[in-house]
Amino acid sequence: MTQQEAASPSSTLYRGGFVYSPVDPFATAMVVQDGKIAWVGSDEAATGHADSVDEVVELDGSLVTPAFVDGHVHSSMTGQGLDGVDLSQTSSLTEALRLIETAARHGRGRPLYAHSWDETNWPEGRPATSEELDRATFGGVVYMPRVDAHSACVTTALATSARAQGLDGWGGTGVVVREAHHAVRDMFYAGITPADRRHYIDLSMRAAAEAGIGLVHEMAAPHIGAPEDLADVVAAGERGDGPQVVPYWGELVDGEARARELARAYGVRGLAGDLCADGSIGSRTAHVRSPYLDGADPDNCGYGYLNVDTVRDHVAACTLAGLQAGFHVIGDAALDTITEGFRAAAELVGADRVRAARHRLEHIEMVDEAAIATLVELGIYASVQPVFEAWWGGKDGMYGARLGASRSLASNPYGSMAAAGVALVLGSDTPVTPFGPWEAIRACVNHHEPSQRISARSAFLAHTRGGWRAAGIDDRGYLDLGQPETFAVWSVGDLVVQAPDDRIQTWSTDPRSGTPGLPDLSEDADLPVNLRTVVRGRTVFDREGAFD
Ligand SMILES: [Zn+2]
């Protein structure tokens, strides 16, 4: 990154590229002035602006898009992950233990955060035991959450100090879920200083800016971090040197007064996000109607944390307080509880008011027609993470192993939801999957189940305007006159237009289609590389050498 602190010129002409704008599908140039988009058009027409602006940037064939919105983010955990031991690329438990041992030697007894492992990628096919971790770290403190963050391995030292042994969810070998997991996580996080945390938040914001993201929805919750953590994320967003932040707090309420009190105390847009109705498929804790097909217990259907009455009361309270309500919900059984609770709330306070509050559901991976009908009827947004589907979906992936091929292929039904009129917002749930807007769009376009694919254009809109709308803001997230100067510049190959209404990919480079082109997102194509991110007129990321 270069010259991040340099003051931006007050007017700039970008020309010689492609500008993704609803005003002009053939736009190749854009003028920004005093933090706003002042003009969008063709290079020929831009000649008239070249003399009157302070700076001219040659795009050299790159693509300008509105900056993306990541609809589900955990900033300090993300930054902590960037700072800790990343196990996501390990191909065996042995390799993971070796990385942990190396880090423990360097850390000299400091608590160690080793994250994002997935035993389904390992020939051992199982998590680490306390004994193995104790040996690797010479008896140190290790918190080792699984990639989905709903279970973890811990050392004896951490389990003992958190008094996890004997709690619900203590597995005996050092793997913890539910209450035991929450206890060790709380204990581990209690050892992190506010300065550490603010450093993590900065790392995360920088990574978001580098990924071309201009707004993140921060999904804070009592079981994830303290209110001070959320306050630091909000403050980072307000500083103006990175992405903007829309904050949520996932705490259950049973009355309007309490809803208002919490929203006021934390300055949040809603009591939504990771208010958990269940766990995850990876940890076999998502609440499903019929049992998981693998795992030790043949009757295991996961676990539902909420009931219809608590959902109803929360939704009604938030609705009356003019706040967004929402839940983390993954399994079909959990979604049954949620949709029934929403319908009960609508009976209580009126469907119109429920719709107006624009509630949202996170992840929402196992959705049938009846649930889709409720989402449409009550105007509930679906906040989805398409890279989950790309990584774990399909017949032979982790969802296939846990749920069987048919439930796996039916998961994350973006096509059915979009066709029925469910508003989608895309996100990463980082650190579960990293910031990566084009990866998410590519996952939508290449869904394992062809009938559930959506067009690149729809996915792109869900990742830009959709993200603003899901936060209750209707007129942001596109490049048009008077809009804030919030955009990203991408180095791309040929731009293509996807044939309309074709779920099997057909691409066209025909410019006469009248639709702005997008990068080729077929599975073997190189994804765009971000060159610059600008948020409200300020350059928050510049790739070294990109515009020299
Ligand atoms: Zn989350």
Side-chain angles (χ1 to χ4, degrees):
M1 250 179 278
T2 54
Q3 299 180 341
Q4 254 202 55
E5 303 307 319
S8 303
S10 64
S11 65
T12 305
L13 164 64
Y14 288 85
R15 68 179 178 193
F18 302 93
V19 177
Y20 193 96
S21 166
V23 231
D24 180 355
F26 307 112
T28 55
M30 176 173 87
V31 174
V32 292
Q33 184 165 15
D34 302 325
K36 295 222 184 311
I37 312 276
W39 180 85
V40 172
S42 68
D43 277 11
E44 296 75 53
T47 333
H49 293 281
D51 294 333
S52 58
V53 294
D54 301 318
E55 186 196 16
V56 177
V57 173
E58 304 294 345
L59 288 168
D60 207 12
S62 50
L63 170 69
V64 180
T65 68
F68 286 104
V69 177
D70 193 317
H72 194 124
V73 165
H74 303 284
S75 294
S76 63
M77 282 162 79
T78 297
Q80 187 181 27
L82 293 167
D83 206 49
V85 186
D86 181 357
L87 301 174
S88 63
Q89 304 303 316
T90 53
S91 52
S92 69
L93 172 57
T94 312
E95 183 191 354
L97 289 168
R98 207 179 313 123
L99 289 177
I100 289 168
E101 185 172 338
T102 308
R105 283 186 199 280
H106 288 126
R108 295 192 182 86
R110 278 187 52 209
L112 194 65
Y113 180 70
H115 62 93
S116 306
W117 54 274
D118 181 346
E119 80 288 358
T120 65
N121 295 332
W122 295 343
E124 294 90 344
R126 62 167 180 88
T129 64
S130 291
E131 218 174 286
E132 287 165 334
L133 285 177
D134 291 347
R135 221 178 302 131
T137 62
F138 323 100
V141 168
V142 179
Y143 173 56
M144 185 180 168
R146 194 179 184 281
V147 62
D148 58 18
H150 286 273
S151 61
C153 308
V154 294
T155 50
T156 306
L158 180 56
T160 306
S161 65
R163 302 206 173 104
Q165 294 99 332
L167 290 181
D168 169 53
W170 170 252
T173 59
V175 179
V176 286
V177 292
R178 299 193 299 277
E179 242 181 87
H181 181 207
H182 300 168
V184 299
R185 185 176 53 197
D186 291 350
M187 178 57 68
F188 182 79
Y189 280 99
I192 291 169
T193 69
D196 290 339
R197 225 186 41 234
R198 285 194 279 269
H199 173 61
Y200 298 151
I201 292 167
D202 288 346
L203 287 178
S204 179
M205 292 294 174
R206 258 185 267 162
E210 184 170 349
I213 291 160
L215 170 70
V216 300
H217 296 183
E218 174 71 18
M219 295 309 187
H223 68 277
I224 293 175
E228 292 76 29
D229 183 39
L230 176 60
D232 285 337
V233 176
V234 170
E238 282 167 357
R239 243 177 12 228
D241 59 355
Q244 293 176 261
V245 173
V246 170
Y248 290 89
W249 181 254
E251 182 170 337
L252 202 61
V253 293
D254 57 8
E256 183 187 347
R258 177 68 179 151
R260 286 186 195 281
E261 183 189 330
L262 283 178
R264 207 176 313 117
Y266 303 144
V268 291
R269 174 134 354 226
L271 300 174
D274 283 334
L275 207 181
C276 289
D278 64 350
S280 75
I281 297 168
S283 291
R284 300 186 194 85
T285 50
H287 193 204
V288 290
R289 292 176 187 157
S290 21
Y292 290 95
L293 301 180
D294 60 351
D297 175 5
D299 298 321
N300 177 28
C301 284
Y303 195 80
Y305 293 108
L306 304 173
N307 62 49
V308 172
D309 290 354
T310 52
V311 172
R312 176 199 61 203
D313 292 348
H314 182 77
V315 172
C318 290
T319 302
L320 293 172
L323 295 165
Q324 287 181 288
F327 305 90
H328 156 123
V329 51
I330 287 182
D332 45 9
L335 187 56
D336 289 340
T337 307
I338 295 292
T339 51
E340 206 181 325
F342 264 99
R343 287 195 303 269
E347 256 167 53
L348 213 57
V349 301
D352 285 346
R353 294 191 74 165
V354 170
R355 265 193 296 275
R358 205 174 289 189
H359 302 302
R360 55 186 289 168
L361 294 174
E362 309 304 311
H363 318 308
I364 185 160
E365 294 201 79
M366 298 172 72
V367 198
D368 64 10
E369 292 299 322
I372 289 176
T374 302
L375 298 183
V376 172
E377 189 193 328
L378 297 178
I380 302 165
Y381 273 62
S383 168
V384 298
Q385 294 73 36
V387 174
F388 289 11
E389 204 286 325
W391 282 11
W392 303 313
K395 284 201 287 278
D396 307 317
M398 184 264 282
Y399 289 177
R402 299 277 191 276
L403 304 167
S406 67
R407 278 192 291 176
S408 177
L409 286 172
S411 74
N412 294 287
Y414 308 137
S416 300
M417 288 198 279
V422 176
L424 297 175
V425 45
L426 270 47
S428 62
D429 198 6
T430 175
V432 179
T433 72
F435 290 118
W438 293 111
E439 282 82 349
I441 296 170
R442 178 163 69 181
C444 289
V445 169
N446 296 292
H447 195 293
H448 284 94
E449 167 53 52
S451 66
Q452 294 303 341
R453 292 175 182 163
I454 59 174
S455 70
R457 184 166 175 272
S458 317
F460 178 84
L461 290 174
H463 220 339
T464 49
R465 279 191 91 151
W468 287 96
R469 285 182 173 151
I473 301 160
D474 285 327
D475 60 344
R476 288 284 179 272
Y478 55 101
L479 301 177
D480 193 2
L481 311 190
Q483 283 289 312
E485 187 189 335
T486 296
F487 63 92
V489 183
W490 306 90
S491 165
V492 289
D494 286 342
L495 298 185
V496 291
V497 174
Q498 210 176 4
D501 234 3
D502 193 343
R503 298 252 161 82
I504 312 297
Q505 277 188 61
T506 317
W507 303 92
S508 155
T509 47
D510 183 357
R512 289 164 303 178
S513 58
T515 310
L518 281 170
D520 181 358
L521 297 168
S522 18
E523 270 165 300
D524 50 354
D526 289 331
L527 288 181
V529 174
N530 187 19
L531 304 177
R532 170 175 289 183
T533 306
V534 177
V535 175
R536 290 185 290 183
R538 187 151 164 193
T539 300
V540 298
F541 169 75
D542 235 352
R543 185 163 300 278
E544 190 102 45
F547 296 110
D548 293 350

